Amino acid sequence: MSVPFDVVFLGTGAPLNNPDRCGCGQVIVAGDTQVMVDCGWGSARRIVPAGLRPPEIGIAVFTHMHSDHITDFPDFIFQRWTGGATTPLRIFGPPGTKETMEGFMAALRLDIGFRLAHHGDKLHPEGAKIEGTEIPAPAWPNQFHVAGDLVLESFEVDHFPVVPALGFRFRADGRTAVLSGDTSLCDSLVGAAEGADLFVCEAMNQPMMTQLISMLEAMGRKREAGMMSDVPDYHISTTQVAEVARRSGVGELVLTHIIPPVPNDTAREADFMAGMAEIYGGPIRMARDTQRIAVGKKP
C-alpha cells in the first residue's frame, strides 16, 4: 500500500492584501509525518479548516525570513501547544532562522508564563519550546533531515538581496515534490525540479503587474508604483515557470504565492495562467487556501 503524500496549502498569496489568499504556507503530509513549510500572515488560521491538527505538525521549515513567510509563526506555536503538543517544534531554515524564531519566542515569554500559571499541568511546558537548526543552501538538493517516510532536502534559489533563500525537495514512497520558495529564474531551480512528480512554484503574471503599476501611477501613487516596479527583479514569471516545468520534465505544476493578487475566481485564474499551456503540456493549476493536492506518480 502506498504512503499518503500530499501538499496542503494554507496560504497561497504574497505580501499584497488579498481577502482570498493568506501569506505563504503549506504542510507536507507523508504518512504520519507533517511538516509546515513557511507560516505567513493568516496561514496558521487555515490549518484547522484545511483538515489538519496543529499538534500533529512536528517540524517547520522556512525558505527565508521575509515577513509574508513567517509572521503567523507565533499563532501556530500557540495553536500547537494548546492543542496538546508535548515535544518541542523542530525548526529548519537558512542562516537567520534561529535569530528570528528565538525573537518570536522571547516576545511570547510572558504569555507562555501566564498560560502555565493559569492552566498548570494541562499544558506541557515542552510543547511551547523550539529546537532550531540552520541548514546549508547548496546548488543541488542536499538532504538535511529524515522524518518517518519523508526525506527533506534543501537547495539555494535566487531571491537577491535575500541571501540565502531556499527551495525544498521532499521525497516519500518513490515520489518527489519540489517547492520553489521565492525565486527568480535560476539554474538551481531547474535542476532541483528535474523529474519531480509535483512542482509547486511561486508565480508572477508580468502583464498584470504592468497593469497594476500603470494604475498606481495614474492615481498619483508614485512611491507604491516604484516599489511594485522592483518586484519582478526577484520573482519568477508565469511563462518562466512553465519553461522550468517543461525543461525539468515535471509531472504536474501547481502555482502559489500569486503576484499580483488574484481572487478565487475561475476566470481570473485562467487569465493569470494564460500562455502557460503553450509552453508546458502537463497539468497546471493554481492552488487555493486550504486545498490538498496529492503527489501522484508521474506517467
mmCIF file of all heavy atoms in Angstrom, residues 10 29 31 110 124 136 146 165 179 205 246 295:
data_model
loop_
_atom_site.group_PDB
_atom_site.id
_atom_site.type_symbol
_atom_site.label_atom_id
_atom_site.label_comp_id
_atom_site.label_asym_id
_atom_site.label_seq_id
_atom_site.Cartn_x
_atom_site.Cartn_y
_atom_site.Cartn_z
ATOM 1 N N LEU A 10 -1.961 26.271 2.922
ATOM 2 C CA LEU A 10 -2.566 27.124 3.944
ATOM 3 C C LEU A 10 -2.732 28.545 3.439
ATOM 4 O O LEU A 10 -3.787 29.157 3.602
ATOM 5 C CB LEU A 10 -1.697 27.114 5.211
ATOM 6 C CG LEU A 10 -1.385 25.742 5.804
ATOM 7 C CD1 LEU A 10 -0.490 25.914 7.035
ATOM 8 C CD2 LEU A 10 -2.652 24.981 6.159
ATOM 9 N N VAL A 29 2.307 16.379 4.052
ATOM 10 C CA VAL A 29 1.814 15.224 4.797
ATOM 11 C C VAL A 29 2.328 13.971 4.107
ATOM 12 O O VAL A 29 2.016 13.719 2.932
ATOM 13 C CB VAL A 29 0.278 15.203 4.858
ATOM 14 C CG1 VAL A 29 -0.207 13.970 5.625
ATOM 15 C CG2 VAL A 29 -0.255 16.479 5.502
ATOM 16 N N GLY A 31 2.565 10.000 5.190
ATOM 17 C CA GLY A 31 2.285 9.025 6.231
ATOM 18 C C GLY A 31 1.888 9.737 7.502
ATOM 19 O O GLY A 31 0.980 10.573 7.509
ATOM 20 N N LEU A 110 6.149 36.141 28.255
ATOM 21 C CA LEU A 110 5.169 36.479 29.290
ATOM 22 C C LEU A 110 3.879 35.690 29.094
ATOM 23 O O LEU A 110 3.306 35.149 30.051
ATOM 24 C CB LEU A 110 4.891 37.978 29.290
ATOM 25 C CG LEU A 110 6.043 38.877 29.750
ATOM 26 C CD1 LEU A 110 5.638 40.342 29.619
ATOM 27 C CD2 LEU A 110 6.432 38.563 31.178
ATOM 28 N N HIS A 124 1.733 21.061 28.572
ATOM 29 C CA HIS A 124 3.074 20.511 28.767
ATOM 30 C C HIS A 124 4.091 21.595 28.422
ATOM 31 O O HIS A 124 4.071 22.146 27.309
ATOM 32 C CB HIS A 124 3.277 19.299 27.871
ATOM 33 C CG HIS A 124 4.421 18.440 28.279
ATOM 34 N ND1 HIS A 124 5.727 18.866 28.234
ATOM 35 C CD2 HIS A 124 4.455 17.161 28.760
ATOM 36 C CE1 HIS A 124 6.519 17.905 28.658
ATOM 37 N NE2 HIS A 124 5.773 16.854 28.979
ATOM 38 N N PRO A 136 22.343 24.246 5.190
ATOM 39 C CA PRO A 136 23.069 24.782 4.032
ATOM 40 C C PRO A 136 22.132 25.202 2.904
ATOM 41 O O PRO A 136 20.959 24.819 2.858
ATOM 42 C CB PRO A 136 23.956 23.609 3.590
ATOM 43 C CG PRO A 136 23.963 22.650 4.727
ATOM 44 C CD PRO A 136 22.665 22.841 5.447
ATOM 45 N N VAL A 146 15.539 13.443 7.937
ATOM 46 C CA VAL A 146 14.620 12.367 7.581
ATOM 47 C C VAL A 146 13.632 12.217 8.715
ATOM 48 O O VAL A 146 14.015 12.144 9.896
ATOM 49 C CB VAL A 146 15.357 11.024 7.355
ATOM 50 C CG1 VAL A 146 14.360 9.911 7.053
ATOM 51 C CG2 VAL A 146 16.370 11.154 6.221
ATOM 52 N N ALA A 165 18.344 32.218 0.136
ATOM 53 C CA ALA A 165 16.936 31.812 0.159
ATOM 54 C C ALA A 165 16.888 30.362 -0.322
ATOM 55 O O ALA A 165 17.686 29.953 -1.164
ATOM 56 C CB ALA A 165 16.097 32.707 -0.743
ATOM 57 N N LEU A 179 9.198 22.395 -3.882
ATOM 58 C CA LEU A 179 8.615 23.694 -3.585
ATOM 59 C C LEU A 179 9.684 24.748 -3.832
ATOM 60 O O LEU A 179 10.768 24.699 -3.227
ATOM 61 C CB LEU A 179 8.117 23.766 -2.136
ATOM 62 C CG LEU A 179 6.724 23.184 -1.856
ATOM 63 C CD1 LEU A 179 6.676 21.690 -2.133
ATOM 64 C CD2 LEU A 179 6.307 23.465 -0.402
ATOM 65 N N ASN A 205 2.455 37.160 -12.723
ATOM 66 C CA ASN A 205 1.980 37.450 -14.068
ATOM 67 C C ASN A 205 2.473 38.845 -14.455
ATOM 68 O O ASN A 205 2.004 39.850 -13.908
ATOM 69 C CB ASN A 205 0.453 37.370 -14.128
ATOM 70 C CG ASN A 205 -0.080 37.605 -15.528
ATOM 71 O OD1 ASN A 205 -0.018 38.710 -16.039
ATOM 72 N ND2 ASN A 205 -0.596 36.537 -16.140
ATOM 73 N N ARG A 246 8.653 22.558 -18.177
ATOM 74 C CA ARG A 246 8.907 21.826 -19.429
ATOM 75 C C ARG A 246 10.323 21.268 -19.451
ATOM 76 O O ARG A 246 10.528 20.080 -19.740
ATOM 77 C CB ARG A 246 8.699 22.756 -20.628
ATOM 78 C CG ARG A 246 8.826 22.049 -21.973
ATOM 79 C CD ARG A 246 8.877 23.039 -23.132
ATOM 80 N NE ARG A 246 10.069 23.884 -23.074
ATOM 81 C CZ ARG A 246 11.278 23.485 -23.478
ATOM 82 N NH1 ARG A 246 11.460 22.259 -23.955
ATOM 83 N NH2 ARG A 246 12.302 24.306 -23.394
ATOM 84 N N VAL A 295 0.479 14.146 -4.166
ATOM 85 C CA VAL A 295 1.652 13.980 -5.010
ATOM 86 C C VAL A 295 1.513 12.636 -5.703
ATOM 87 O O VAL A 295 1.761 11.583 -5.117
ATOM 88 C CB VAL A 295 2.954 14.019 -4.188
ATOM 89 C CG1 VAL A 295 4.168 13.892 -5.104
ATOM 90 C CG2 VAL A 295 3.032 15.309 -3.363
#
